Amino acid sequence: MAAAREFRAMATELCTRLSQKLGIAREALVHSGHDSGRLDAEWDYYFHGLECCFTSRRTGQVLDVELSFGDEFGVLDPWFFHRFLATTDRYAALAAKLVDGYHDTKRALDVLVGTGRLSRVTGAFAEHARHGVVAKDSEAV
């Protein structure tokens, strides 16, 4: 859960900073028309499909962010979340336990949804009927 909350916070911060740099609203990032560039001295970004991948030049950490959920950037795609875990030193051991990066991570996320620790969300664009899960704003469990 700590990793899910951290992913959400970092993704929101990076997307906020990128939207400011590009001079567009955060929810407009999905249609920005930009390819790639440097966010700042540490982070590079590149858009692909309905996502934007941020990579730290300093640490190698990767946050691949789903952009088709309006103003919600913490959606946990199993593959993207596993990549975040594997490239974040404090979560690398957890990533190693998820042997099949996609399927094992998806099963773990499904368990967290089932226990009420993650929330389901639906994409903001009807033509891209996407669904995902996010860490809740607060956690009572």
Side-chain angles (χ1 to χ4, degrees):
M1 284 307 304
R5 286 190 297 272
E6 184 175 340
F7 179 95
R8 186 179 193 196
M10 289 182 72
T12 301
E13 177 192 344
L14 290 168
C15 286
T16 298
R17 290 173 47 209
L18 181 57
S19 71
Q20 291 168 346
K21 178 183 177 90
L22 299 177
I24 59 177
R26 291 186 333 172
E27 56 275 3
L29 284 172
V30 71
H31 298 298
S32 73
H34 291 84
D35 288 328
S36 63
R38 283 201 166 167
L39 176 60
D40 57 25
E42 179 176 357
W43 293 96
D44 290 331
Y45 67 90
Y46 73 92
F47 290 93
H48 59 102
L50 299 174
E51 298 86 21
C52 184
C53 183
F54 294 92
T55 304
S56 169
R57 286 187 308 284
R58 183 176 54 82
T59 66
Q61 185 180 39
V62 175
L63 276 90
D64 218 330
V65 181
E66 297 267 359
L67 299 176
S68 63
F69 288 83
D71 207 28
E72 175 58 69
F73 301 107
V75 173
L76 300 171
D77 170 89
W79 178 249
F80 293 167
F81 188 50
H82 186 269
R83 193 169 175 205
F84 168 76
L85 295 172
T87 61
T88 304
D89 287 345
R90 65 189 152 282
Y91 302 125
L94 174 59
K97 292 179 182 183
L98 301 167
V99 178
D100 181 317
Y102 179 85
H103 292 99
D104 289 346
T105 304
K106 181 169 181 351
R107 282 189 281 276
L109 294 173
D110 288 345
V111 167
L112 292 170
V113 168
T115 61
R117 299 185 81 181
L118 295 178
S119 298
R120 292 200 184 277
V121 293
T122 302
F125 304 105
E127 69 270 19
H128 303 292
R130 297 174 77 152
H131 304 282
V133 298
V134 297
K136 290 185 173 185
D137 288 331
S138 63
E139 182 181 353
V141 184

